[in-house]
């Protein structure tokens, strides 16, 4: 009562009463569903759901979910002690890479830029990677996560297709983006393709394992995602689509030669449907090696030069763009992005950082292959394992042309792989008892 009186005195408006009345309804799920709070933060941070509908940006939803996730975790871990944590050697490799990146921030050519990115983005990714791996346990958790990714991806795809149909937020003639006018991270067609590619594996995995209305709705989501990726005209995105579909097909089709022939034809069809030849950069109007390809080659040369200059730590997180002028052999009056996961990591963390990341990636790929090959497991766990395998390999292939070394996709997949292995080990332990 005292709290209500003080609040009413400070803000004499009926909204205070409504807000206080809703607090118990909000607090209970926040404290008792930490996975939901963490998942909400990841969806908002990676899929930028609040930027799909600009009025929601004023609510600062990512910050609210981040706070809710931390409070919920503290409650579960320190107060009621229901949350169980575990550790294995794979965590050591991940933490080693995160710590190495943190040290590289102190040695960055522009420390303020590197520090801002590490504090604002990468430290949150590192923390949430560990937390997701701890929170996901039961098959129902994996199923909920997969469905959340599918729904979030579908929402992004619908806005992208709406923009394409209306001819708004379009660059280079007809490449669709979202929120470019107010500086959204989805305002680059390649970054948008990356976000749309992430849920594709979960969508296809759900489609192959579901039945009835669930399968029909997932088919709609699959069509939306593929059409939206085509609308971005991202070559990396199209290669990622082919890889995701190819992984599922490879595990099911006996005639591998025929599969490879069909894949080659399908890739040409996808490029034609996407209208790559109509792009103002990288289209059919350009002779020889097109402007888009040459831009990447110049950027990759600059990345290699940065690594040669600082082989141990690189130029620092988020420092490639600022250093492009000093290391590029071709200057056209503006800095450029690296447009490659591998060269981006090489430039910003050096040869040591790239070697560490590849070591972590290799461990994760071998882990998820072994999990996906275990047939005697819960159907939901098997579905997510196959989806993660396809999605991770799709991210690896598309990473040749998309910059995602220090963004969400790889690390969400890593967290899911760690959680899947722990879940399988727990199931085997319970069975043995």
């Amino acid at each position: 009562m005292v709290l209500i009186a003080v609040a009413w005195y400070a803000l004499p408006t009926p909204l205070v009463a409504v807000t206080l009345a809703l607090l118990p309804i909000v607090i209970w799920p926040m404290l008792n569903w930490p996975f939901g709070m963490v998942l909400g933060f990841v969806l908002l941070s990676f899929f930028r759901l609040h930027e799909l509908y600009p009025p929601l940006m004023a609510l600062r939803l990512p910050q609210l979910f981040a706070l809710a996730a931390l409070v919920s975790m503290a409650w579960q871990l320190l107060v009621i002690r229901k949350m169980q944590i575990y550790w294995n050697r794979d965590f050591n490799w991940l933490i080693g890479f995160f710590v190495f990146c943190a040290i590289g921030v102190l040695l960055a050519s522009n420390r303020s830029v590197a520090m801002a990115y590490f504090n604002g983005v990468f430290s949150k990714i590192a923390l949430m990677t560990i937390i997701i791996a701890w929170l996901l346990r039961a098959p129902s958790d994996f199923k909920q996560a997969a469905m959340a990714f599918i729904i979030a991806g579908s929402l992004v795809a619908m806005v992208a297709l709406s923009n394409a149909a209306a001819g708004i937020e379009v660059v280079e003639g007809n490449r669709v983006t979202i929120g470019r006018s107010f500086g959204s991270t989805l305002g680059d067609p390649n970054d948008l393709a990356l976000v749309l590619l992430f849920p594709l594996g979960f969508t296809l995995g759900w489609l192959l394992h579901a039945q009835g209305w669930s399968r029909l709705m997932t088919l709609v989501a699959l069509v939306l995602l593929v059409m939206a990726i085509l609308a971005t005209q991202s070559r990396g995105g199209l290669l990622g689509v082919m890889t995701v579909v190819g992984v599922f097909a490879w595990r099911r089709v006996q005639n591998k030669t025929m599969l490879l022939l069909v894949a080659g034809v399908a890739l040409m069809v996808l490029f034609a449907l996407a209208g790559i030849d109509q792009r103002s950069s990288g289209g059919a109007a350009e002779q020889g090696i097109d402007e888009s390809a040459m831009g990447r080659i110049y950027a990759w040369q600059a990345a290699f030069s940065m690594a040669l200059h600082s082989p141990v730590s690189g130029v620092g997180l988020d420092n490639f763009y600022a250093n492009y002028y000093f290391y590029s052999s071709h200057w056209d009056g503006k800095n450029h992005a690296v447009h490659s996961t591998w060269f981006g990591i090489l430039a910003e963390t050096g040869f040591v950082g790239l070697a560490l990341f590849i070591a972590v990636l290799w461990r994760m790929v071998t882990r998820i292959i072994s999990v996906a090959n275990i047939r005697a497991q819960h159907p939901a766990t098997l579905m997510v394992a196959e989806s993660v395998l396809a999605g991770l390999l799709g991210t690896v292939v598309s990473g040749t042309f998309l910059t995602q070394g220090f963004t969400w996709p790889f690390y969400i997949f890593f967290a899911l792989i760690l959680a899947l292995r722990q879940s399988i080990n727990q199931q085997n332990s319970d069975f043995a008892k």
Side-chain angles (χ1 to χ4, degrees), residues 18 68 72 76 90 112 147 182-183 209 226 238 332 357 379:
V18 174
S72 182
Q76 292 282 328
D90 293 325
S112 60
M147 180 51 68
F182 54 84
H209 289 84
V226 173
L238 295 181
D332 59 359
F357 183 83

Side-chain angles (χ1 to χ4, degrees), residues 46-47 52 149-161 176-178 186 188-203 221-234 237-238 240-241 244 391 395 398 402 404 409 413:
F46 176 45
F47 289 93
L52 303 181
F149 294 144
I150 294 170
I151 293 173
S154 299
L155 292 173
V156 176
M158 286 189 290
V159 174
L161 292 174
V176 69
T177 70
I178 296 176
L186 303 180
D188 183 278
N190 293 312
D191 292 335
L192 176 56
L194 165 63
V195 171
L196 293 166
L197 179 65
F198 178 84
L200 188 67
F202 298 99
T203 308
L222 180 66
V223 172
L224 288 173
L225 289 170
V226 173
M227 289 180 62
I229 293 174
L230 290 175
T232 66
Q233 297 185 344
S234 168
L238 295 181
V241 170
V244 170
T395 305
S398 65
L402 302 177
Q404 46 196 316
F413 285 131

Side-chain angles (χ1 to χ4, degrees), residues 291-310:
E291 179 184 350
S292 177
M294 283 306 303
R296 279 186 167 86
I297 291 173
Y298 292 137
W300 297 350
Q301 289 174 346
F304 192 73
S305 297
M306 293 178 197
L308 287 177
H309 181 264
S310 185

Side-chain angles (χ1 to χ4, degrees), residues 306-342:
M306 293 178 197
L308 287 177
H309 181 264
S310 185
V312 176
S313 61
V315 295
L317 294 184
D318 202 34
N319 266 249
F320 176 87
Y321 186 84
N323 281 276
Y324 181 83
Y325 170 78
F326 302 104
Y327 293 94
S328 176
S329 61
H330 177 82
W331 176 248
D332 59 359
K334 58 182 180 181
N335 289 334
H336 293 272
V338 65
H339 288 299
S340 170
T341 295
W342 320 113

Side-chain angles (χ1 to χ4, degrees), residues 170-175 280:
V170 173
V171 298
E172 297 183 22
N174 47 13
R175 301 187 70 188
S280 59

Side-chain angles (χ1 to χ4, degrees), residues 1-137:
M1 294 298 294
V2 175
L3 177 62
I4 295 176
V6 171
W8 185 268
Y9 178 79
L11 294 170
T13 170
L15 292 177
V16 172
V18 174
T19 302
L20 292 175
L22 292 175
L23 275 180
I25 302 175
V26 174
I27 290 176
W28 187 88
M30 180 187 72
L31 295 179
N32 291 279
W33 194 31
F35 171 63
M37 301 302 105
V38 171
L39 184 60
F41 173 74
V42 171
L43 294 178
L44 288 163
S45 299
F46 176 45
F47 289 93
R48 313 304 296 176
L49 297 180
H50 56 296
E51 294 178 354
L52 303 181
Y53 310 99
L56 295 178
M57 294 173 62
L59 299 178
R60 298 186 178 277
L61 293 176
Q63 291 87 341
L64 290 176
F65 270 90
L67 179 61
L70 292 176
V71 171
S72 182
M73 287 283 297
W75 175 263
Q76 292 282 328
L77 189 60
L78 302 176
V79 180
I80 64 176
R81 299 185 178 181
K82 282 188 176 181
M83 181 178 170
Q84 298 178 354
I85 62 176
Y86 63 95
W87 200 264
N88 56 43
R89 190 174 296 177
D90 293 325
F91 281 102
N92 294 337
W93 283 89
L94 265 176
I95 293 299
F97 180 71
F98 293 144
V99 170
F100 182 82
C101 291
I103 295 173
V105 169
L106 303 177
L107 303 175
S109 60
N110 190 325
R111 193 178 302 171
S112 60
V113 171
M115 187 69 72
Y117 188 83
F118 184 84
N119 292 335
V121 179
F122 197 62
S123 61
K124 297 174 184 176
I125 293 175
L127 178 62
M128 289 302 169
T129 299
I130 306 302
I131 291 176
I132 292 171
W134 284 341
L135 288 177
L136 283 168
R137 290 295 179 86

